[in-house]
């Protein structure tokens, strides 16, 4: 893991570390970027993505729908619950609108700390730090599996006040944490460090809607060196144990407070559960 304070200070000074992008190997962030129509990807990523889509053709629809879920969640938390601080872990390649763009469009004073350990994201961190004048953003180069290092990062502490409510955003990330690393326990460690009134927004990759097709995606990812674990609804609910779920609870992401003008999406084309909960 890179020295986290070094990343932020050098970002502010306009200097960036050399990053080995390993263009010969598929990377989860770049595969995702390709699936949602982005251009920050390479041949190995496109090959992995195409093989996954061959296994389950609805994968791009599910990924794009998950992205719009994130956008609705951020707007809801800012508008309806007064959230002004976000900790976004598993940020991915910046694709507008990002969390700070959505939140600061409603409340310019919102502060966002982005966290990822993907080298491709590090190269785009400038975009993640382009805050409104009234707000603040930072980028921490770190791994979800090291909550103490993330929560103690000096640049995060400069941007977020953990004595006040924070929304922890874990969108399309926990399926890359295998059971042996106790993903539910990791989430609890983050939430334990956050003040009462904080929120957890989380999605989980599932095969409940199409076990065969989604299982094929899992095999393609794992065969290409991207560990991925598919979970069911019971396992999804375990991430929210001890917190109060907002309506409508844990649902397939397109059913979570959809926009009135949202295009119809079939359940069988979605492989992601999502939910939002508050810590009392």
């Amino acid at each position: 893991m890179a020295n986290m304070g070094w990343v932020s200070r050098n970002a502010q000074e306009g200097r960036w570390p050399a990053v080995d992008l390993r263009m010969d190997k598929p990377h989860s962030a770049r595969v995702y970027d390709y699936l949602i129509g982005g251009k920050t990807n390479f041949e190995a990523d496109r090959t992995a993505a195409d093989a996954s889509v061959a296994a389950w053709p609805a994968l791009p629809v599910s990924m794009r729908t998950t992205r719009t879920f994130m956008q609705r969640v951020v707007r809801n938390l800012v508008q309806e619950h007064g959230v002004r601080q976000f900790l976004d872990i598993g940020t991915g390649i910046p694709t507008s609108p990002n969390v700070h763009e959505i939140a600061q469009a409603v409340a310019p004073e919102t502060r966002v700390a982005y966290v990822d350990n993907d080298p491709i994201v590090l190269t785009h961190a400038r975009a993640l730090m382009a805050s409104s004048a009234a707000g603040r953003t930072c980028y921490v180069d770190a791994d979800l599996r090291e909550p103490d290092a993330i929560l103690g990062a000096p640049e995060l502490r400069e941007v977020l006040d953990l004595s006040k409510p924070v929304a922890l955003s874990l969108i399309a990330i926990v399926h890359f944490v295998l059971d042996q690393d106790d993903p539910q326990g990791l989430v609890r460690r983050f939430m334990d460090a956050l003040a009462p009134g904080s929120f957890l927004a989380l999605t989980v990759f599932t095969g409940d809607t199409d076990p065969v097709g989604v299982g094929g995606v899992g095999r393609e990812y794992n065969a290409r060196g991207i560990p991925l674990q598919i979970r069911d609804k019971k396992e999804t609910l375990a991430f929210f144990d001890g917190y109060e779920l907002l309506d409508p609870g844990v649902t397939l992401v397109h059913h979570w407070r959809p926009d009135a003008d949202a295009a119809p999406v079939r359940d069988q084309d979605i492989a992601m559960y999502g939910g939002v909960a508050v810590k009392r």
Side-chain angles (χ1 to χ4, degrees):
M1 185 175 66
N3 182 303
M4 294 178 291
W6 189 90
V7 171
S8 179
R9 287 192 291 274
N10 280 269
Q12 293 169 358
E13 296 168 7
R15 300 198 307 273
W16 293 83
V19 176
D20 182 2
L21 297 181
R22 295 304 306 270
M23 293 180 289
D24 59 323
K25 295 183 180 295
H27 206 291
S28 58
R30 298 192 302 246
V31 172
Y32 177 77
D33 176 75
Y34 177 69
L35 288 168
I36 64 173
K39 297 180 179 180
T40 309
N41 49 75
F42 304 105
E43 183 176 356
D45 310 304
R46 295 188 286 271
T47 298
D50 288 342
S52 298
V53 172
W56 190 52
L59 183 60
V61 173
S62 185
M63 293 293 193
R64 291 193 294 268
T65 303
T66 301
R67 183 77 184 177
T68 59
F69 165 83
M70 178 275 289
Q71 295 168 11
R72 294 196 308 278
V73 166
V74 172
R75 285 199 308 269
N76 178 268
L77 290 177
V78 175
Q79 292 175 335
E80 304 298 327
H81 299 278
V83 172
R84 296 296 183 266
Q85 299 191 111
F86 286 84
L87 174 54
D88 181 46
I89 304 178
T91 298
I93 296 167
T95 302
S96 189
N98 298 308
V99 171
H100 73 276
E101 293 171 323
I102 300 165
Q104 291 178 353
V106 179
E109 70 275 20
T110 302
R111 296 178 168 225
V112 180
Y114 291 103
V115 180
D116 210 304
N117 71 335
D118 290 351
I120 189 69
V121 182
L122 176 59
T123 68
H124 289 271
R126 289 183 185 89
L128 294 170
M129 299 179 71
S131 172
S132 70
R136 293 280 304 278
T137 63
C138 70
Y139 178 78
V140 180
D141 180 31
D143 193 301
L144 171 62
R145 298 168 184 82
E146 299 180 314
D148 294 338
I150 292 172
L151 293 165
E155 60 270 40
L156 181 146
R157 293 289 182 156
E158 290 174 4
V159 169
L160 300 184
D161 180 353
L162 300 188
S163 70
K164 297 178 180 179
V166 174
L168 173 63
S169 175
L170 297 168
I171 306 299
I173 181 64
V174 297
H175 49 270
F176 297 119
V177 181
L178 305 182
D179 282 349
Q180 65 198 45
D181 291 317
D182 188 18
Q184 290 91 350
L186 289 170
V187 172
R188 284 193 298 273
R189 286 172 65 186
F190 280 104
M191 293 300 292
D192 285 349
L194 302 182
S198 292
F199 290 84
L200 170 63
L202 180 143
T203 67
V204 171
F205 193 57
T206 185
D208 284 359
T209 50
D210 188 342
V212 175
V214 176
V217 173
R219 287 191 296 275
E220 292 295 341
Y221 268 68
N222 281 289
R224 287 167 170 77
I226 305 175
L228 184 148
Q229 185 151 351
I230 299 166
R231 297 184 170 97
D232 60 21
K233 191 167 187 178
K234 181 179 178 181
E235 292 170 298
T236 302
L237 287 166
F239 283 98
F240 295 97
D241 282 350
Y243 314 118
E244 180 182 321
L245 280 162
L246 304 187
D247 288 337
V250 169
T251 68
L252 294 174
V253 287
H254 63 302
H255 290 311
W256 198 93
R257 305 190 182 189
D259 293 329
D261 59 351
V265 180
R266 304 184 308 168
D267 287 1
Q268 58 263 44
D269 290 338
I270 302 299
M272 199 77 75
Y273 284 123
V276 181
V278 60
K279 173 183 175 180
R280 297 298 187 188

